Amino acid sequence: MSKYLVTGGAGYVGSVVAAHLLAAGHTVTVLDDLDTGFERGVPAGAAFVRGRIQEAADVLDPSYDGVLHFAAHSRVGESVEDPEKYWRNNVAGTLDLLAAMRAAQVRTLVFSSTAAVYGEPERTPITETDPTAPTSPYGSSKLAVDHMIGGECAAHGLAAASLRYFNVAGAHFTDDGAAYGERHDPETHLIPLVLQVAQGRRESVSVFGDDYPTPDGTCVRDYIHVADLARAHLLALEQAMPGEHLICNLGNGNGFSVREVIETVREVTGHPVPETVAPRRSGDPAVLVASADRARGELGWRPERADLAAIVEDAWRFAQRVAEESA
Ligand code: UDP
């Protein structure tokens, strides 16, 4: 069994990965500044250090076998308004983390990258060798870190994987009754927003554009269940080789439109979901679908909950639980 540092382990994806590491018998320390994370998101059984990634040197020592790095600012719109925040934290912060890893002789890293590095794709499905042309400082910051990690592997023998997530959704429930899901504030993501409408917490959902060149005119995205995504991180830890940087898309390879998502929420919840058409959101490509071939081939990854209804069912279960907690 191994010992891992999970940066950003109080956030959505980081907490689900930390829970999977613990379930697999590993020892986990979460480092999170709680800027956007929630302390109750830190899984029971993990040690928790409140701090920034710039302070990773205070935590890491040679007893650690690796780092899973999720801590980052991740709001596209905010990154356009305040790019410095993204360069300073996501990029310069990761530079400090890499130096801390080198000093502590911790030589394995799995990094949470994003499909936003591809920008407006020239074709779908997107493969890892397609051109990268991010359209926001958020995407640029993640791409810069991918490059930084590649250099660290080549120069200093780091074993690393960058996993480029498509649209992460759903929630994770453990046997001991814990639940991990999305708690963004403000919420901007489609599935949790539509679920809030189904719960009666919002009047309607805005469909951002219905004149895209897609079958029903609304944007198509590749939604991946957060637990399937988490399992890919554990596989990446096993596959990482010194001096090599594995870059892998994580999506199911299936696209669903905004209208299909809304319809699925109606079916799963049994509640009405009024929708209105709003203007396009700037920077939204019409279609973002991953080629999952490399994840399947290199990691041996197989999604278990690739069905949109299954993803929405778990997200709904989590949303109901959050509503009960705050009632
Ligand atoms: N979307 C929408 N209404 C909303 C939120 C999102 O129509 O209130 C659309 C958005 O334009 C995109 C898709 O839903 O096409 C997924 O958006 P989300 O913000 O969840 O993820 P992103 O694709 O931006 O990472």
Side-chain angles (χ1 to χ4, degrees), residues 217-234:
T218 66
C219 287
V220 170
R221 294 290 181 271
D222 186 341
Y223 295 89
I224 174 171
H225 194 289
V226 68
D228 282 334
L229 185 89
R231 286 188 302 103
H233 292 68
L234 274 72

Side-chain angles (χ1 to χ4, degrees), residues 167 188-190 193 205-208 219 221 223 258 281 284:
N167 288 62
T188 62
H189 291 115
L190 181 65
L193 281 175
V205 59
S206 301
V207 175
F208 294 151
C219 287
R221 294 290 181 271
Y223 295 89
V258 172
R281 192 172 65 176
D284 268 344

Side-chain angles (χ1 to χ4, degrees), residues 5 31 33 49-60 93 96-97 100:
L5 178 68
L31 174 66
D33 64 5
V49 178
R50 183 170 183 174
R52 307 178 67 216
I53 45 175
Q54 287 84 346
E55 296 153 44
D58 300 337
V59 181
L60 282 175
D96 290 340
L97 175 66

Side-chain angles (χ1 to χ4, degrees), residues 47-168:
F48 175 57
V49 178
R50 183 170 183 174
R52 307 178 67 216
I53 45 175
Q54 287 84 346
E55 296 153 44
D58 300 337
V59 181
L60 282 175
D61 63 49
S63 71
Y64 283 88
D65 297 288
V67 174
L68 296 103
H69 179 32
F70 303 94
H73 295 304
S74 61
R75 296 196 184 111
V76 172
E78 181 189 62
S79 79
V80 175
E81 281 155 27
D82 187 3
E84 184 187 349
K85 180 172 176 179
Y86 283 71
W87 292 108
R88 203 171 284 288
N89 188 73
N90 295 6
V91 181
T94 304
L95 205 52
D96 290 340
L97 175 66
L98 290 178
M101 289 179 66
R102 219 182 303 130
Q105 297 154 40
V106 180
R107 305 315 290 143
T108 302
L109 173 69
V110 175
F111 173 59
S112 142
S113 188
T114 168
V117 300
Y118 297 111
E120 181 86 41
E122 286 168 13
R123 52 172 200 166
T124 58
I126 300 172
T127 66
E128 294 81 354
T129 51
D130 282 352
T132 45
T135 52
S136 70
Y138 165 68
S140 299
S141 72
K142 289 282 181 175
L143 182 60
V145 173
D146 281 352
H147 288 313
M148 197 192 283
I149 292 170
E152 187 76 12
C153 293
H156 303 298
L158 182 72
S162 288
L163 304 180
R164 292 180 173 166
Y165 311 161
F166 282 65
N167 288 62
V168 189

Side-chain angles (χ1 to χ4, degrees), residues 164-316:
R164 292 180 173 166
Y165 311 161
F166 282 65
N167 288 62
V168 189
H172 176 55
F173 303 88
T174 58
D175 295 340
D176 58 5
Y180 304 91
E182 272 183 279
R183 293 172 191 264
H184 299 117
D185 186 21
E187 188 53 73
T188 62
H189 291 115
L190 181 65
I191 291 179
L193 281 175
V194 182
L195 291 174
Q196 288 180 6
V197 179
Q199 284 177 316
R201 294 170 60 204
R202 268 173 206 273
E203 249 170 51
S204 66
V205 59
S206 301
V207 175
F208 294 151
D210 67 350
D211 56 353
Y212 284 94
T214 59
D216 68 13
T218 66
C219 287
V220 170
R221 294 290 181 271
D222 186 341
Y223 295 89
I224 174 171
H225 194 289
V226 68
D228 282 334
L229 185 89
R231 286 188 302 103
H233 292 68
L234 274 72
L235 295 168
L237 283 171
E238 285 169 23
Q239 298 299 327
M241 299 287 291
E244 286 183 21
H245 182 207
L246 174 66
I247 295 178
C248 230
N249 289 341
L250 283 181
N252 289 315
N254 302 321
F256 294 96
S257 73
V258 172
R259 285 229 162 92
E260 285 175 310
V261 169
I262 296 171
E263 197 47 46
T264 304
V265 169
R266 290 185 184 120
E267 283 162 17
V268 166
T269 68
H271 291 294
V273 178
E275 60 180 77
T276 54
V277 177
R280 291 182 178 197
R281 192 172 65 176
S282 81
D284 268 344
V287 180
L288 279 179
V289 174
S291 161
D293 290 353
R294 189 179 283 181
R296 287 172 176 271
E298 300 267 331
L299 299 179
W301 177 76
R302 299 282 177 277
E304 288 173 2
R305 292 179 82 71
D307 179 42
L308 182 62
I311 294 173
V312 170
E313 271 164 27
D314 285 348
W316 175 238

